[in-house]
Amino acid sequence: MAFVFTDDNAAQEIASGKAVVIDFWATWCVPCRRVTPIIEELAAEYEGRVLIGNYNVEDGNDLATEYGIRNIPTILFFKDGKQVGERMVGAQPKSEIEARIKELL
């Protein structure tokens, strides 16, 4: 199951140093609904190796503001407490997201 990132827990999880993948989304966003099942699958497949989850921009806004999220879905990748690589904006196929996750490992 995908982790639920919030303004209260995101900074701590990112700072932990482990590989982290955050999907910024909203319930009303149609492309987000296409990405959500992919995030769920990847979270299960990489459980224990990469923390993968969702951040609902309607439930919180601090993290989205901090990282300049202007379009959703947007996926950010973190390792060793820092954002790595470029963000993925828009609905992406599982293969593209998974390739970026493998780069974190």
Side-chain angles (χ1 to χ4, degrees), residues 36-48:
T36 297
I38 295 169
I39 294 296
E40 290 287 341
E41 287 175 29
L42 291 169
E45 291 172 23
Y46 287 88
E47 186 174 0

Side-chain angles (χ1 to χ4, degrees), residues 55-73:
Y55 175 89
N56 188 332
V57 297
E58 291 187 315
D59 292 342
N61 196 24
D62 293 346
L63 189 66
T65 300
E66 179 180 348
Y67 288 99
I69 304 301
R70 290 179 175 52
N71 300 300
I72 53 174

Side-chain angles (χ1 to χ4, degrees), residues 1-5 19-23 38-47 50-54 97 101:
M1 177 172 211
F3 187 80
V4 177
F5 289 96
V20 175
V21 177
I22 304 176
D23 169 35
I38 295 169
I39 294 296
E40 290 287 341
E41 287 175 29
L42 291 169
E45 291 172 23
Y46 287 88
E47 186 174 0
V50 180
L51 181 61
I52 302 172
N54 302 308
I97 300 169
I101 290 170

Side-chain angles (χ1 to χ4, degrees), residues 25-46:
W25 74 291
T27 56
W28 50 264
C29 168
V30 174
C32 297
R33 286 187 258 156
R34 289 199 311 260
V35 173
T36 297
I38 295 169
I39 294 296
E40 290 287 341
E41 287 175 29
L42 291 169
E45 291 172 23
Y46 287 88

Side-chain angles (χ1 to χ4, degrees), residues 7-22:
D7 288 334
D8 295 330
N9 67 17
Q12 178 181 345
E13 295 300 336
I14 292 168
S16 72
K18 59 189 159 195
V20 175
V21 177
I22 304 176

